């Protein structure tokens, strides 16, 4: 019986991008850091700045369930990035995908699109909304585990 093929090498730097850097991309950034520690530089950004400060409170709640504290996360845009030399840019929205293609034009960077539901669209009780955020968190964690097996 043949052994499983070795896992592909890890990229040196990964950027997760979405629309506002308050929900999906900070979740993905934190999950990747949780899974791979300091073996990969990970950052996140959004297309636009939201008037709200920090991460979405529902994100804080569902990430705290995994003992991940995002209280100090400061949303940033593509323009706020100090360095743009990422090996991999993962777009979580169609709009972020377009901007990622522009940013990496002429560079040796991979771009992947992981369509990710926006849990802020869910209405209803607090528990129904938390359930939507958990689904997004768990889908991102599964995608990270599949893409970066260790």
């Amino acid at each position: 019986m043949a052994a499983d093929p070795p896992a592909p090498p890890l990229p040196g730097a990964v950027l997760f991008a979405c629309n506002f850097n308050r929900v999906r991309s900070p979740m993905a950034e934190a999950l990747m850091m949780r899974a791979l520690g300091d073996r990969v530089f990970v950052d996140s950004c959004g297309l636009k700045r939201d008037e709200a400060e920090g991460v979405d409170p529902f994100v804080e709640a569902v990430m705290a369930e995994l003992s991940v504290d995002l209280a100090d996360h400061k949303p940033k845009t593509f323009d706020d990035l100090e360095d743009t030399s990422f090996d991999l840019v993962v777009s979580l929205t169609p709009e972020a995908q377009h901007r990622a293609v522009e940013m990496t034009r002429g560079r040796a960077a991979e771009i992947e699109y992981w369509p990710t539901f926006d849990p802020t669209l869910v209405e209803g009780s607090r528990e129904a909304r938390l359930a939507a955020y958990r689904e997004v968190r768990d889908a991102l964690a599964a995608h990270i585990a599949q893409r970066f097996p260790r």
Side-chain angles (χ1 to χ4, degrees):
M1 188 161 137
D4 288 336
L10 291 173
V14 175
L15 176 68
F16 289 99
C18 65
N19 293 350
F20 290 104
N21 194 222
R22 293 193 67 237
V23 178
R24 294 167 281 189
S25 56
M27 237 192 258
E29 176 187 2
L31 290 165
M32 178 94 166
M33 291 171 68
R34 183 175 188 253
L36 297 175
D38 61 1
R39 291 182 284 172
V40 175
F41 175 79
V42 185
D43 204 353
S44 66
C45 71
L47 294 171
K48 307 172 251 194
R49 189 168 316 284
D50 192 341
E51 292 86 41
E53 290 295 319
V55 76
D56 181 293
F58 286 109
V59 171
E60 279 191 69
V62 300
M63 294 303 288
E65 294 171 355
L66 301 179
S67 300
V68 175
D69 182 8
L70 288 179
D72 292 334
H73 176 78
K74 304 281 186 263
K76 60 185 163 292
T77 66
F78 276 92
D79 295 332
D80 296 329
L81 294 171
E82 292 182 22
D83 187 356
T84 59
S85 55
F86 294 93
D87 301 308
L88 174 63
V89 179
V90 178
S91 307
L92 305 174
T93 66
E95 300 85 359
Q97 174 72 0
H98 179 71
R99 182 66 172 86
V101 168
E102 288 175 13
M103 182 184 92
T104 59
R105 192 178 318 269
R107 298 183 186 172
E110 287 184 66
I111 302 170
E112 294 182 10
Y113 175 48
W114 299 359
T116 306
F117 176 73
D118 182 357
T120 66
L121 300 175
V122 172
E123 297 180 3
S125 69
R126 175 177 170 77
E127 193 50 47
R129 295 177 73 192
L130 282 170
Y133 279 74
R134 285 183 192 109
E135 283 181 35
V136 168
R137 176 198 66 198
D138 296 346
L140 286 169
H143 208 135
I144 289 166
Q146 178 186 22
R147 174 63 175 84
F148 307 102
R150 289 290 156 250

